[in-house]
Amino acid sequence: MLNPVLLLGARHKAFSLIFLFLVTWGAVLGLPRLDIDTGFHSLIPQNHPDRRMYENIVKVFGSDNRCIVYVADKDFWSPSKLDAFERLHFALERLDFVRQVDDFFTISNIRGNGDRIEAHTILSFGPRDQAMAEAARQDALHNPLLAGNLVSRDGNSVALILGLESEPNFSDFKIHAQLEKALAPFQSEFTQVFEVSAPRINAELTQILYQDLKILGPLSALVLVASILFFLRSRFAALVPLMTSGLSILWTLGVMGWISLPLNILSGMLPSLIVVIGSTEDTHMISAYVQGIEQAKDNPRMTGVNFMARHLGIPIILTVATTALGFASNLFSSMEMIRQFALAATIAVAANGVITVILVPMLLSMAGPMESGRKKPMPDLPELFVKAFGYTKQNYPRFILVVTALLCAFFVYQCSKLYVTNDPLSYFQRSQPLITQTRMINENLAGMRFFYITLDAGREKAFYEPENLEKLTKIQNFMDKQGGFDTSLSLADHIAMVNQEFNLGDPSFYRVPEHQKLVAQYLLFFNRRDLKSYVNHDFSRACIMVRHHISDSTLLNGYIRELKAVVPEMAGPEIKTQVVGENLMVNAAAEDLIWAQVKSLAILLAVIFIITSIMFTSLKGGIISLVPSLIPVILMFGIMGYFKIPLNPGTAMVAVISIGIAVDGTLHLFFRYNELCRRTSDYEAAVFDTVQQVSTPMVTTSLALALGFGILLFSNFSIIAQFGALSAATMLFSLFANLLITPLVMSRVRLVGLYQILAIKMHRDVIRDSPLFKGMSNYEMRKAIVISELHEKTAGELLVKEGTYGRSMYLILKGQVDVIRSAKGGQRHLATLGPGQIFGEIGFVKQIRRTADVKAKTPVEALRFDYIKLEKDLKFFPFIIAKLNFNISRVLGERLAETNEKLIAEHRLTEN
């Protein structure tokens, strides 16, 4: 039915070449418009309820995206090192995009000194001698706002926190480059100097993205060529996927440029995916072509192309559709990064499908191989799979199914250990400098991740009042009990520090004083710069700044849920509270990954079930088609739980993508099995023949896919490497399911393709008037015809031979046959039968010796109904077979009545 589609390129070469050239040229024009986006905003859902609230809070208290410059040296508290630190401070302060620098030179230090209180910065300039340097060290370690925050407990590591401007003219690359340039002169001054910031993370993400694009695509192509050469032993078969995937990559990137769809971390692996996934249909088409040329008598190339088109038209269209659907199902994610990748990948699969359908038949018809390339047989993996299936099916079918069920049960349990993360730092490999440096900051100071807890009293000077300041303290104490956060700072901490110093440095007085007058007095020790991150200008709103290093989104979201439940109670009904931060919104989106994954899987599996059930007119077939999809997914999620691999934007897509790809093999199995079932009543043998015939392309494509996905392990992004490893494993699991598990249950179902039913060229007058189809609807008649066998005979060929045994009957659709019986001295012509007439019905009911030859007088088309086959099909199509049997009984009854009438008539003649 879809032969013309697959033959378009072969029959209309000039038109096809012009079309491919024009689309490719259009794609090239779109490449300059392609953009790259590695920003954190794509990790936050556009409709996140906290987004607007967060933006308003940032305007008041400043951004929580801050740059930390880390400085470490065992001799840091020496005049020379502190002098260098001062020069570093001013070098950073001079940068255009730096709004402020918080360090020892800017933060006020309150220190009791005998009977007086001194308020000054830890350092106002580089110390002149070691004594001054040591005094500065003591002040820094004594200050509770600094120790563990800007200075490590041992004093050997310190930090400068930079507030950065958020204007669009300061790109991440520019900020990162200028920061590195500013830090470069000080690399020799200290043991370690580096900065960690959102601009650096984005800049390195983009840099790594470029590296992956340069490396992973060519590596995938190399692995693909090697695997196809090894299995198919054809240079042509290895070259074709490179051509189709190359054009597909160009088309995809061009379309992305035209529709302003940026490349992100995930879509950076598109070239590798296109090379790998695009090879599957190419390999199936070339394998079918090779089978075709082996049957050719003349013009082998077009014979092979026609054979390929006849056998793969429907499977190719369906597998392209299901693979695209696997990627497109990720469009349900609320995360922009995943939606962008899903759209780009769907475009890529669709483009590859169009290119493959047009270009591959064209190339095969022009320069396809003239022989299979396998000059001498040798045992290989496909043959081993066939042998393994034959052995297990014959000896241990139930054992294999039970072991598989137990494995699935075990891995379902392991799925309960899955956890989710959406932390951008988790995208990097652990060995990369950014990660080791971030870990160093987390261990020696406080975590790199910030968020805010804000309290809004709605009236001026509300946070002059001790009872409101105490509420800040209670919230901070609760967070300390949670044990998940590194530090928290608020206005209450500043007041408590002064109160402690007014009481001779006694730690028990590190608390908010009871009287408002003392609070007002203590606030005089601070300037506005010290407090603007913790309270607004009229003291109606206060902010607790929290730092942490939690990367497990599930754990962090649990802590935040507790906070959001407790904070309003502690603040009281008259104060509005908010717990917000960009980091929190990014991590909150991780939970959407789970629901988006569940939704995508459910929709995809439902669509596959519906498509397969309709396409093969069997609900059982639809259920069986899910087996090779569900087993790999269960094993994959179980492995993730067992090895503690998180669900993240990369790994979240493996399941739906793998199902979309794995169903390719399932559909090819079903289509081949369906064709073989039309020729035989031995469905067990049909299953074995199916496995034997599809094993080579299926093993080739599955291993090529696994190796191609395995190339992603070389990515510098951990989420891409995890995606590649899990996808490779899933491809192997699906191969196991398709070639060993699915065939074990496939023989329990008889498939009839809807496309076959619709494509039947019915001889309407003959069929409608035939007693064999009396009482049947048009659809039932078509399905009955598909269940039967269509035989075409040339003039002179025998349909039934006298003296043989058979359990088949025939309905003539077209042409005429002669019924001839052997007689003494020659042959006796009994009758000539034409369209609509039936013969062989007695043999159908009971196995007896045929009493006459039935020979085609003209070219004949006839439907053959085999008793043994229909008996087996009774459990699969009970209503159709029941109607056929009823009508056959009616035909036999009428034939018996006619015979009786003839006998009675002859008896009366003899009596007379």
Side-chain angles (χ1 to χ4, degrees):
M1 189 165 57
L2 290 179
N3 281 7
V5 177
L6 260 68
L7 293 174
L8 182 65
R11 291 177 176 174
H12 307 283
K13 296 182 179 64
F15 171 80
S16 300
L17 285 172
I18 292 172
F19 170 77
L20 291 174
F21 174 80
L22 290 177
V23 177
T24 303
W25 180 248
V28 170
L29 295 178
L31 290 178
R33 304 165 63 96
L34 187 63
D35 194 14
I36 292 181
D37 179 14
T38 57
F40 295 164
H41 64 275
S42 64
L43 301 176
I44 303 172
Q46 292 294 324
N47 59 349
H48 196 288
D50 291 345
R51 181 184 283 271
R52 182 170 296 180
M53 181 170 42
Y54 166 76
E55 292 170 352
N56 291 332
I57 289 174
V58 165
K59 292 177 182 177
V60 178
F61 298 108
S63 173
D64 57 347
N65 265 329
R66 305 193 178 193
C67 170
I68 294 183
V69 176
Y70 181 85
V71 179
D73 197 295
K74 64 179 181 178
D75 297 322
F76 179 81
W77 299 99
S78 63
S80 60
K81 300 295 182 183
L82 291 173
D83 178 68
F85 187 75
E86 181 183 20
R87 286 186 279 112
L88 173 60
H89 169 93
F90 288 116
L92 295 171
E93 203 170 46
R94 284 192 295 269
L95 296 175
D96 294 337
F97 51 82
V98 174
R99 188 177 68 254
Q100 69 179 51
V101 179
D102 292 331
D103 60 9
F104 301 143
F105 294 100
T106 59
I107 295 177
S108 295
N109 180 54
I110 313 300
R111 188 72 185 270
N113 187 7
D115 57 353
R116 59 198 176 106
I117 301 295
E118 297 179 351
H120 54 76
T121 58
I122 299 290
L123 292 168
S124 56
F125 50 83
R128 292 186 293 272
D129 53 38
Q130 185 60 41
M132 291 181 66
E134 181 59 27
R137 176 179 178 276
Q138 293 296 330
D139 283 344
L141 293 177
H142 176 76
N143 190 320
L145 305 183
L146 299 180
N149 188 22
L150 287 183
V151 60
S152 63
R153 301 295 179 182
D154 61 8
N156 293 334
S157 304
V158 298
L160 304 92
I161 299 183
L162 311 184
L164 306 180
E165 298 287 355
S166 56
E167 296 181 15
N169 57 323
F170 296 118
S171 67
D172 290 334
F173 275 105
K174 180 179 178 181
I175 292 174
H176 176 57
Q178 291 195 24
L179 281 172
E180 290 297 313
K181 183 178 179 181
L183 296 180
F186 299 94
Q187 298 293 339
S188 59
E189 302 273 3
F190 302 100
T191 303
Q192 288 180 319
V193 179
F194 57 81
E195 60 92 7
V196 177
S197 61
R200 177 183 175 183
I201 294 171
N202 287 341
E204 292 200 12
L205 286 173
T206 304
Q207 184 180 6
I208 293 172
L209 180 58
Y210 278 122
Q211 292 174 357
D212 278 4
L213 286 171
K214 292 178 182 177
I215 296 173
L216 298 182
L219 273 178
S220 298
L222 182 63
V223 168
L224 174 67
V225 169
S227 58
I228 292 178
L229 283 174
F230 177 78
F231 289 112
L232 297 183
R233 301 170 184 54
S234 167
R235 289 189 295 272
F236 180 87
L239 179 64
V240 169
L242 292 183
M243 297 176 67
T244 57
S245 59
L247 279 177
S248 301
I249 293 170
L250 193 58
W251 283 25
T252 302
L253 297 180
V255 171
M256 290 174 67
W258 280 115
I259 65 175
S260 300
L261 182 65
L263 269 175
N264 60 33
I265 298 168
L266 298 178
S267 53
M269 62 180 171
L270 274 177
S272 296
L273 290 181
I274 294 172
V275 169
V276 174
I277 296 172
S279 69
T280 56
E281 296 312 320
D282 297 343
T283 305
H284 280 293
M285 292 172 76
I286 293 171
S287 295
Y289 166 85
V290 169
Q291 291 181 38
I293 62 173
E294 291 173 350
Q295 303 174 14
K297 296 179 180 178
D298 58 355
N299 196 359
R301 283 181 175 144
M302 279 309 300
T303 302
V305 170
N306 284 318
F307 180 89
M308 176 269 296
R310 188 166 61 252
H311 288 81
L312 295 184
I314 296 287
I316 284 178
I317 300 301
L318 276 183
T319 50
V320 169
T322 52
T323 304
L325 184 64
F327 285 100
S329 60
N330 287 293
L331 289 168
F332 290 102
S333 175
S334 61
M335 198 175 297
E336 185 68 17
M337 175 191 289
I338 293 180
R339 287 204 307 272
Q340 289 174 351
F341 170 77
L343 180 56
T346 304
I347 293 170
V349 172
N352 184 261
V354 172
I355 292 168
T356 298
V357 166
I358 294 175
L359 186 60
V360 174
M362 181 197 305
L363 294 174
L364 288 171
S365 66
M366 295 170 61
M370 302 294 286
E371 56 182 17
S372 66
R374 302 187 63 137
K375 297 181 180 179
K376 55 180 181 179
M378 59 177 290
D380 55 12
L381 281 175
E383 292 173 6
L384 291 177
F385 267 95
V386 174
K387 291 178 180 178
F389 167 70
Y391 181 77
T392 55
K393 181 171 177 58
Q394 183 176 357
N395 298 286
Y396 306 106
R398 291 184 179 178
F399 174 77
I400 293 295
L401 293 175
V402 169
V403 169
T404 303
L406 291 175
L407 273 175
C408 288
F410 171 75
F411 282 112
V412 165
Y413 166 73
Q414 295 298 326
C415 290
S416 63
K417 301 178 182 178
L418 269 175
Y419 72 98
V420 188
T421 184
N422 194 32
D423 178 19
L425 287 175
S426 68
Y427 299 173
F428 294 91
Q429 298 284 10
R430 289 180 174 272
S431 59
Q432 289 178 306
L434 175 63
I435 301 306
T436 57
Q437 291 170 359
T438 301
R439 195 180 303 125
M440 196 178 302
I441 294 175
N442 292 339
E443 291 171 354
N444 295 322
L445 299 173
M448 280 288 303
R449 302 165 181 89
F450 293 77
F451 70 89
Y452 297 144
I453 302 174
T454 65
L455 285 74
D456 186 355
R459 55 187 174 84
E460 292 184 7
K461 295 190 176 181
F463 288 96
Y464 268 75
E465 300 167 8
E467 57 269 25
N468 285 334
L469 292 171
E470 279 293 339
K471 293 175 180 178
L472 298 174
T473 302
K474 286 181 180 179
I475 294 171
Q476 290 178 265
N477 289 340
F478 176 77
M479 285 190 288
D480 290 339
K481 290 179 181 178
Q482 283 183 300
F485 306 112
D486 296 333
T487 64
S488 65
L489 291 176
S490 70
L491 180 62
D493 290 302
H494 290 73
I495 302 297
M497 180 182 68
V498 180
N499 191 47
Q500 173 180 288
E501 295 305 313
F502 264 93
N503 290 275
L504 305 177
D506 185 350
S508 63
F509 283 90
Y510 187 79
R511 62 177 187 268
V512 175
E514 297 177 356
H515 303 291
Q516 185 171 337
K517 287 184 178 180
L518 283 178
V519 172
Q521 189 177 15
Y522 290 168
L523 285 172
L524 296 175
F525 286 91
F526 300 98
N527 57 49
R528 179 60 195 152
R529 188 183 190 282
D530 295 325
L531 301 179
K532 67 178 182 179
S533 295
Y534 306 100
V535 67
N536 69 340
H537 67 284
D538 63 1
F539 284 76
S540 64
R541 300 174 70 181
C543 174
I544 302 172
M545 183 180 292
V546 186
R547 291 176 65 180
H548 69 93
H549 65 276
I550 302 172
S551 60
D552 183 340
S553 295
T554 305
L555 179 62
L556 177 60
N557 291 336
Y559 285 139
I560 298 303
R561 276 192 293 270
E562 290 179 355
L563 271 179
K564 288 185 175 181
V566 169
V567 167
E569 295 179 8
M570 292 183 171
E574 72 281 1
I575 295 180
K576 296 179 181 178
T577 62
Q578 296 167 337
V579 181
V580 294
E582 185 177 66
N583 173 255
L584 299 189
M585 290 189 289
V586 168
N587 279 276
E591 294 189 349
D592 292 338
L593 285 176
I594 298 176
W595 293 113
Q597 181 84 166
V598 171
K599 188 186 298 183
S600 299
L601 279 172
I603 291 174
L604 182 59
L605 290 173
V607 169
I608 289 174
F609 170 75
I610 293 170
I611 288 176
T612 311
S613 299
I614 293 174
M615 185 55 60
F616 294 102
T617 64
S618 170
L619 292 177
K620 287 184 180 179
I623 294 171
I624 291 173
S625 71
L626 298 181
V627 171
S629 297
L630 286 173
I631 289 177
V633 170
I634 291 171
L635 297 183
M636 182 206 72
F637 281 131
I639 286 174
M640 288 176 65
Y642 185 81
F643 289 103
K644 295 181 173 57
I645 300 172
L647 191 69
N648 56 39
T651 58
M653 299 182 300
V654 174
V656 289
I657 292 172
S658 299
I659 288 176
I661 297 172
V663 77
D664 170 88
T666 307
L667 289 173
H668 281 286
L669 272 173
F670 276 23
F671 276 99
R672 193 63 189 145
Y673 174 64
N674 178 36
E675 288 182 3
L676 293 176
C677 283
R678 293 204 66 190
R679 306 174 190 172
T680 179
S681 59
D682 188 350
Y683 297 151
E684 297 287 340
V687 169
F688 185 82
D689 289 343
T690 298
V691 174
Q692 192 170 36
Q693 292 179 26
V694 303
S695 61
T696 297
M698 192 175 292
V699 171
T700 301
T701 56
S702 295
L703 292 183
L705 283 168
L707 290 171
F709 280 123
I711 289 299
L712 297 177
L713 283 167
F714 292 97
S715 172
N716 290 306
F717 289 125
S718 63
I719 61 170
I720 302 301
Q722 291 166 351
F723 172 88
L726 290 171
S727 296
T730 307
M731 291 301 100
L732 297 179
F733 294 152
S734 66
L735 178 63
F736 162 79
N738 269 323
L739 287 186
L740 294 181
I741 303 302
T742 305
L744 289 176
V745 294
M746 194 165 61
S747 60
R748 301 177 183 275
V749 67
R750 168 72 164 92
L751 302 176
V752 173
L754 178 65
Y755 60 95
Q756 293 173 316
I757 295 173
L758 298 177
I760 288 175
K761 297 178 181 178
M762 292 179 59
H763 299 262
R764 294 185 180 277
D765 295 338
V766 175
I767 298 296
R768 186 179 61 248
D769 297 335
S770 172
L772 198 59
F773 297 107
K774 189 172 183 179
M776 289 189 179
S777 66
N778 184 57
Y779 173 80
E780 289 172 333
M781 285 190 287
R782 286 176 177 271
K783 194 162 187 176
I785 292 171
V786 174
I787 294 172
S788 67
E789 298 174 14
L790 178 64
H791 284 238
E792 297 180 354
K793 299 291 183 178
T794 58
E797 285 189 274
L798 282 174
L799 283 86
V800 172
K801 183 174 178 58
E802 183 180 357
T804 61
Y805 289 90
R807 297 296 301 271
S808 300
M809 61 179 288
Y810 294 83
L811 169 65
I812 301 173
L813 296 177
K814 181 181 178 182
Q816 293 181 327
V817 298
D818 287 326
V819 182
I820 303 171
R821 179 184 294 172
S822 297
K824 292 181 180 180
Q827 293 182 323
R828 179 185 173 191
H829 182 272
L830 300 179
T832 297
L833 305 178
Q837 292 185 288
I838 299 170
F839 62 89
E841 66 275 13
I842 303 299
F844 178 85
V845 176
K846 183 177 181 180
Q847 185 169 338
I848 61 173
R849 191 185 300 272
R850 300 289 191 181
T851 58
D853 286 341
V854 180
K855 183 183 296 184
K857 184 177 183 180
T858 63
V860 169
E861 290 182 12
L863 291 179
R864 177 177 177 267
F865 295 89
D866 182 78
Y867 176 83
I868 297 175
K869 188 173 184 181
L870 291 184
E871 185 179 40
K872 289 185 176 182
D873 286 343
L874 179 61
K875 61 181 179 181
F876 302 124
F877 315 109
F879 298 109
I880 302 289
I881 303 302
K883 286 190 175 184
L884 276 175
N885 285 334
F886 182 80
N887 288 334
I888 291 170
S889 299
R890 179 185 294 153
V891 170
L892 288 172
E894 292 174 353
R895 187 66 54 87
L896 179 61
E898 291 175 1
T899 303
N900 285 337
E901 289 176 0
K902 287 181 180 180
L903 289 174
I904 291 171
E906 290 176 1
H907 180 68
R908 287 175 179 173
L909 285 172
T910 53
E911 285 182 347
N912 294 332

